[in-house]
Amino acid sequence: FWRKRLEENSVPTNSSEESAVRLTDPDGMVLEIVENATVRALPTAKYAPTIPGEHRIVHVQGAVLSSLRPDSTREVLRELLE
């Protein structure tokens, strides 16, 4: 579903797995949409009527932060989160 929808909207995708779609957002962040049968059974959200319930994104697994200046980034995060 997602691979087809993204390609129909001119968003290039790539992935070697059938259950995953990898793409790059406009800011250069690499994202991956992964199908997970155990999550699919959750109730569907009402705010995405064009997405069939079995294909809605209902969970974000995690994120990786990349930085050109990791020491500076670490300090900013420490100050903000402590």
Side-chain angles (χ1 to χ4, degrees), residues 6 8 49:
L6 292 165
E8 286 173 350

Side-chain angles (χ1 to χ4, degrees), residues 3-72:
R3 187 181 321 274
K4 180 181 177 194
R5 184 176 175 90
L6 292 165
E7 289 173 355
E8 286 173 350
N9 288 280
S10 303
V11 177
T13 64
N14 63 42
S15 182
S16 59
E17 299 179 40
E18 183 64 30
S19 63
V21 179
R22 187 171 293 138
L23 63 134
T24 304
D25 79 1
D27 293 319
M29 180 70 68
V30 177
L31 307 171
E32 188 171 50
I33 300 172
V34 180
E35 182 179 334
N36 183 328
T38 61
V39 175
R40 209 185 305 164
L42 293 175
T44 59
K46 296 180 182 179
Y47 53 83
T50 61
I51 308 296
E54 67 272 18
H55 297 295
R56 292 193 179 142
I57 297 172
V58 295
H59 176 75
V60 175
Q61 176 92 20
V64 175
L65 175 64
S66 298
S67 174
L68 295 175
R69 298 183 348 219
D71 292 335
S72 297

